Amino acid sequence: MPETKPTGRTNVKSTLILSTALCGVAFGAMAQEVNVVSWGGAYEVSQVEAYNKPFTAETGITVNMIAADNPATPLRAQVEAGNVTGDVFDVEVSDAIRLCDEGALVEIDPADLPSAPDGTAAADDFVPGALQDCAVANIVWGTVISFNTTKFEGETPSTAADFFDTETFPGKRGLPKNPKRTLYLALIADGVPAAEVYDVLSTPEGVDRAFAKLDTIKADTVWWEAGAQPVQLLADGEVSMTTVYNGRAFDAMVAEKQPFEIIWDGQYLDMDMFVIPVDAPNPDAAMEYLKFATDTQRLADQAKYIAYGPARKSSNELVGLYQDGVTEMAPHMPTSPEALANAVTDDPEFWADHSAELTERFNSWLAAS
Amino acid sequence: MADAALDPHAAIATTASGVGSGTLTTADGMPLARALAHSQRRARRRAFLLVLPLLAFILITFVVPIGQMLARSFHNDGFSANMPQVSAWFASTEPGTAPDEAAWTALAQDLIASADARSIGVVGTRINYDMPGTRSLFTATGRQVRRGLEPPYQQALLEINEDWGDPRLWSVMRSASTPVTANFYLAAVDRTRDEAGNIQQVPEQQRIYLTLFWRTFWLSAVITGLTFILGFPIAHLLATLPMRKSNLLMILVLLPFWTSLLVRTTSWMVLLQQQGVVNDILVWLGVIGGGQRLQMIYNQTGTIIAMTHILLPFMILPLYSVMRTINPAYVRAARSLGATSWTAFRRVYFPQTLPGLGAGAMLVFILAVGYYITPALVGGSSGQLISNMIAQHMTGTLNWSMAAALAALLLGSVLILYWLYDRLVGVDNLKLG
């Protein structure tokens, strides 16, 4: 028995040495990695394929993807706790502006971003609103109306107004359970031109008008919360028409061969932005990543994996085929001319001011059934 | 020592041993009482050290974070910490004082400093909670004053935006100038302050939280009742069947219990929706026509059905564990003494199941009060609970103070209910298994 003791100690010792060595390796590698917090799902896959793999191949910096329900929440929590672990966060415009105003984000100079292949400066190459003080957009995405073609015989719906016309186009409707992506649609269907939606919504009468229009289909509405739900509702036949994120609708139509069609009239345009929190553990690698991911080629590559539009004008010409090799992506982009004809662009300032108030009113309206 | 002297047995022992000092000692000469106290202290210390890891774990992962979270409900220094000069002006003047040039100067200088420090968003967000629509007043003014601002400041600020002269804004800034505030609690019970600082109800179309609190408790009570009605016979069956059969049944109870919450909730969607399995069967049987399919989900009914199913095992298991220990001879004795089976059940069997029922009802009710994933998915517009609002403020509007206030009220009401339960039934009657 006495012999076992020294052996045991040697084992402990060697384990200690080994683990210390491993720690050393891990610390050495830390300068060569970047933690990106994004939304998960098919969107994350598109980022991994289009940004991360070529980035690692070119720079040797490993990219760790972390999924969150809404990356703005962990970002704010980490900054408040003084323990920031993410380097790059993918957030919505209103959150990017809000967090920037609160001093949680690093400011980004557009002059640091790569220019387009033809030499156009980044400041002129990005679509309007894509460059904020602390944020750079990577995709433009739309909330659109989609319907199940098997539900209608003869005439099919084609406008936002048809969404509210349950006489001509019977069946339940799917809408998200928030004011941001419902009120604008009610106003458009009520005849407000897309460009004036936020002017109308800024007045109390405009808000009343939107709720009055929503009242007309309240009894026929199924409310959804997660992005996967509207697709499911439409496929099950539970609703005949719903609003849905355009990438999800595209995925269902092309990858899963569902009998859906998209109505671009009354599209709601939003952007997703990359931001870097103050005190990010790897600020240099984060900035490298951000520049690389938002260059012309990378944004165009992403469109191969998901139907979200690139935030750079110069990327649009490079958009080619879907990963199945046959579907042309350009007409499915929320930034295509047809899609933009009557599109509302998100107004982050409006929502920063009125989100709390309108959300309360919306919830109160919902509860009073 | 005194105790030892008063102890009659000790006195006898002392006399018997004949030790001159009058006290018993251990072999190494220490008085026995002290040795005893010493060894008891050591045992206590050892016991304490054993629970120390658990205590530390609970403190670090439970008490401290919850405490910090709850502190946010009444402590928000978003305005006071970033606007020190105007906060000082508020502190030195009476409520209702109209702003003079000193106040405007303080405000302007705070705005400039805050805009430079990039904290103007925090300030605007804080004021926006109490006065919707003002956040951009702060951030937009902040962007302008970074380019410079000339006195007189009242005129300069009013030129940028005349909303700066709004007396309600000044009243709201005054109430935000101290970090401790009750406003989030007021908002959580659908109240707000007017210009003069008086508490009043919010406009009718904005009232939501009281309705939701009421609905949450009402639905939780209904669900607790339903789990009792459904669970009691099953628990009884499980407790009285021969072991082999009851084990089989137990698996049927436990299998769904071990299945992911999301899977079970989604299964209910498949079953209950208008184009779902249940409606299809009813139409096929001719019970209802194809045009009158029942709306069983995406409303309150959906929430009740799905949550009752999900929470059922929490009622069955405590009931079962109590019922198994009930001696069947008692009921047989009652019957033999002439009681009808209903009387025997009511007066002999049922009272003995109360500890299990109490535990089950508490578990189900408290779990139901905090549910939010299931109501979010199947609740539609009328099946939402207060936790859905808390989740929304945590992840959507990022108004953590409001979420904390709502959560504190929820926690408080659960504790009150627990206290009531203790008064009426007695917590020591609880039996969890």
Side-chain angles (χ1 to χ4, degrees):
Chain A
M1 284 325 256
E3 311 85 15
T4 56
K5 261 194 171 174
T7 329
R9 198 168 294 158
T10 329
N11 275 344
V12 169
K13 213 168 164 186
S14 61
T15 315
L16 268 176
I17 291 169
L18 190 66
S19 58
T20 319
L22 281 174
C23 277
V25 171
F27 278 117
M30 242 157 85
Q32 291 300 306
E33 68 173 15
V34 56
N35 303 316
V36 179
V37 186
S38 186
W39 300 76
Y43 179 50
E44 180 178 307
V45 172
S46 76
Q47 292 182 324
V48 168
E49 294 293 331
Y51 310 158
N52 301 4
K53 287 186 179 171
F55 180 68
T56 307
E58 196 170 300
T59 61
I61 301 173
T62 36
V63 183
N64 307 317
M65 273 308 225
I66 300 143
D69 273 348
N70 176 3
T73 313
L75 181 126
R76 190 175 157 169
Q78 289 178 12
V79 170
E80 279 208 16
N83 179 23
V84 181
T85 54
D87 296 301
V88 178
F89 288 74
D90 186 300
V91 300
E92 287 183 24
V93 187
S94 48
D95 285 331
I97 292 178
R98 192 194 310 210
L99 290 163
C100 185
D101 282 336
E102 292 177 6
L105 304 178
V106 174
E107 289 189 51
I108 295 167
D109 186 355
D112 290 345
L113 298 170
S115 35
D118 64 358
T120 313
D124 301 320
D125 192 30
F126 277 89
V127 298
L131 294 177
Q132 300 287 344
D133 288 352
C134 308
V136 182
N138 72 106
I139 56 155
V140 181
W141 54 281
T143 307
V144 296
I145 301 168
S146 180
F147 63 91
N148 191 327
T149 54
T150 61
K151 288 282 174 181
F152 306 108
E153 287 158 13
E155 200 191 350
T156 54
S158 57
T159 63
D162 293 343
F163 189 84
F164 286 78
D165 184 356
T166 45
E167 296 262 314
T168 321
F169 304 103
K172 296 235 171 220
R173 305 294 194 255
L175 279 173
K177 208 188 286 169
N178 62 56
K180 183 171 172 177
R181 294 203 174 81
T182 45
L183 297 180
Y184 81 94
L185 191 67
L187 288 180
I188 292 223
D190 211 25
V192 178
E196 289 166 29
V197 159
Y198 277 105
D199 297 334
V200 176
L201 212 50
S202 302
T203 63
E205 300 78 40
V207 176
D208 289 343
R209 184 175 167 187
F211 276 107
K213 187 72 180 171
L214 282 179
D215 268 332
T216 61
I217 55 163
K218 190 176 179 184
D220 294 305
T221 304
V222 176
W223 301 96
W224 54 265
E225 282 198 275
Q229 279 177 288
V231 182
Q232 189 62 48
L233 290 169
L234 207 55
D236 288 351
E238 188 68 8
V239 299
S240 60
M241 239 193 276
T242 182
T243 57
V244 56
Y245 304 141
N246 81 289
R248 301 263 190 182
F250 171 85
D251 202 52
M253 284 157 62
V254 175
E256 291 168 30
K257 306 270 184 281
Q258 293 284 350
F260 300 168
E261 234 171 83
I262 285 178
I263 299 171
W264 291 105
D265 182 54
Q267 182 193 199
Y268 191 87
L269 281 177
D270 243 315
M271 280 183 251
D272 265 19
M273 306 212 138
F274 279 138
V275 297
I276 301 173
V278 291
D279 308 326
N282 310 299
D284 298 334
M287 197 61 210
E288 277 307 301
Y289 178 83
L290 191 144
K291 285 188 213 163
F292 182 87
T294 56
D295 77 6
T296 301
Q297 187 59 48
R298 249 43 70 179
L299 293 186
D301 286 350
Q302 189 180 30
K304 185 177 171 191
Y305 303 98
I306 200 158
Y308 292 136
R312 269 179 188 262
K313 293 171 203 154
S314 61
S315 303
N316 274 312
E317 298 136 32
L318 303 174
V319 171
L321 296 176
Y322 183 57
Q323 53 181 337
D324 65 359
V326 288
T327 314
E328 196 70 53
M329 285 306 275
H332 294 285
M333 288 286 142
T335 43
S336 71
E338 189 206 349
L340 288 176
N342 194 28
V344 182
T345 307
D346 180 54
D347 183 343
E349 284 285 331
F350 177 86
W351 287 109
D353 273 355
H354 298 285
S355 150
E357 174 194 14
L358 286 178
T359 304
E360 258 163 34
R361 171 144 181 200
F362 183 79
N363 287 331
S364 170
W365 175 81
L366 270 184
S369 38
Chain B
M1 290 279 271
D3 285 348
L6 286 173
D7 188 348
H9 299 289
I12 291 161
T14 312
T15 325
S17 67
V19 176
S21 68
T23 47
L24 271 177
T25 56
T26 54
D28 52 358
M30 191 194 274
L32 195 56
R34 214 162 76 202
L36 182 68
H38 183 73
S39 79
Q40 273 178 345
R41 241 191 343 263
R42 220 171 50 195
R44 266 205 303 274
R45 200 161 53 225
R46 197 178 298 147
F48 178 72
L49 282 176
L50 277 173
V51 292
L52 190 64
L54 177 69
L55 199 66
F57 177 76
I58 289 179
L59 268 178
I60 292 168
T61 64
F62 198 68
V63 178
V64 173
I66 287 185
Q68 279 185 336
M69 191 64 214
L70 290 183
R72 281 172 192 275
S73 62
F74 54 83
H75 185 274
N76 189 318
D77 60 358
F79 185 86
S80 53
N82 296 308
M83 305 284 274
Q85 299 189 39
V86 75
S87 294
W89 183 82
F90 280 125
S92 66
T93 52
E94 285 292 306
T97 315
D100 52 14
E101 188 56 28
W104 285 99
T105 309
L107 175 67
Q109 283 172 352
D110 279 343
L111 282 173
I112 295 168
S114 176
D116 279 338
R118 279 211 164 272
S119 60
I120 192 86
V122 180
V123 176
T125 305
R126 172 68 189 87
I127 300 300
N128 202 67
Y129 290 151
D130 289 343
M131 189 173 168
T134 47
R135 189 183 180 280
S136 63
L137 178 66
F138 281 85
T139 51
T141 306
R143 273 191 282 277
Q144 295 210 23
V145 299
R146 280 176 90 182
R147 290 187 224 117
L149 195 67
E150 297 293 321
Y153 289 117
Q154 174 171 13
Q155 198 189 338
L157 283 173
L158 287 175
E159 259 170 37
I160 291 175
N161 196 326
E162 58 187 24
D163 287 349
W164 283 111
D166 187 346
R168 176 152 153 73
L169 175 68
W170 283 84
S171 148
V172 167
M173 287 200 290
R174 178 181 286 278
S175 78
S177 65
T178 51
V180 176
T181 173
N183 283 10
F184 295 108
Y185 282 98
L186 285 180
V189 290
D190 295 335
R191 298 291 193 280
T192 184
R193 284 182 207 271
D194 63 6
E195 273 169 44
N198 299 318
I199 294 167
Q200 58 177 30
Q201 280 199 304
V202 297
E204 196 171 348
Q205 56 202 12
Q206 216 98 329
R207 288 175 207 162
I208 173 82
Y209 300 115
L210 281 183
T211 322
L212 282 185
F213 270 116
W214 171 239
R215 182 193 285 166
T216 304
F217 287 116
W218 167 240
L219 280 189
S220 301
V222 167
I223 289 162
T224 310
L226 283 174
T227 53
F228 165 65
I229 291 169
L230 296 171
F232 195 89
I234 299 172
H236 181 70
L237 200 63
L238 282 171
T240 48
L241 276 181
M243 214 39 156
R244 225 150 39 102
K245 284 183 186 160
S246 80
N247 274 348
L248 200 70
L249 268 181
M250 193 54 133
I251 287 176
L252 293 182
V253 173
L254 288 177
L255 211 56
F257 185 55
W258 292 328
T259 312
S260 141
L261 179 72
L262 267 179
V263 171
R264 280 182 287 168
T265 306
T266 338
S267 318
W268 278 114
M269 289 170 155
V270 174
L271 287 173
L272 294 182
Q273 61 186 3
Q274 283 199 308
Q275 306 295 324
V277 179
V278 174
N279 264 313
D280 282 349
I281 292 176
L282 289 178
V283 170
W284 180 73
L285 288 173
V287 179
I288 52 171
Q292 6 159 238
R293 286 167 175 263
L294 302 175
Q295 181 73 47
M296 292 179 286
I297 204 162
Y298 307 123
N299 54 19
Q300 214 156 318
T301 320
T303 303
I304 293 176
I305 295 178
M307 280 178 65
T308 302
H309 172 241
I310 286 163
L311 293 173
L312 199 51
F314 292 99
M315 179 63 89
I316 295 178
L317 294 176
L319 272 177
Y320 166 73
S321 78
V322 168
M323 286 175 175
R324 224 180 28 175
T325 59
I326 297 175
N327 192 338
Y330 298 155
V331 175
R332 281 206 295 272
R335 294 297 303 277
S336 75
L337 291 172
T340 62
S341 55
W342 169 240
T343 310
F345 170 77
R346 189 169 54 88
R347 299 192 48 189
V348 178
Y349 189 77
F350 185 69
Q352 295 185 80
T353 64
L354 278 180
L357 177 59
M362 280 259 284
L363 270 179
V364 171
F365 187 84
I366 290 177
L367 282 172
V369 161
Y371 251 55
Y372 76 95
I373 295 177
T374 306
L377 287 174
V378 304
S381 59
S382 59
Q384 298 286 295
L385 303 182
I386 194 73
S387 329
N388 296 101
M389 289 299 118
I390 297 176
Q392 192 175 53
H393 282 303
M394 282 303 293
T395 63
T397 60
L398 298 183
N399 185 354
W400 291 356
S401 288
M402 190 68 204
L406 288 170
L409 287 182
L410 192 61
L411 182 65
S413 17
V414 168
L415 289 179
I416 289 174
L417 282 173
Y418 183 79
W419 175 79
L420 269 178
Y421 178 89
D422 186 30
R423 289 294 301 271
L424 296 175
V425 185
V427 167
D428 41 343
N429 278 334
L430 218 65
K431 196 161 183 299
L432 284 168

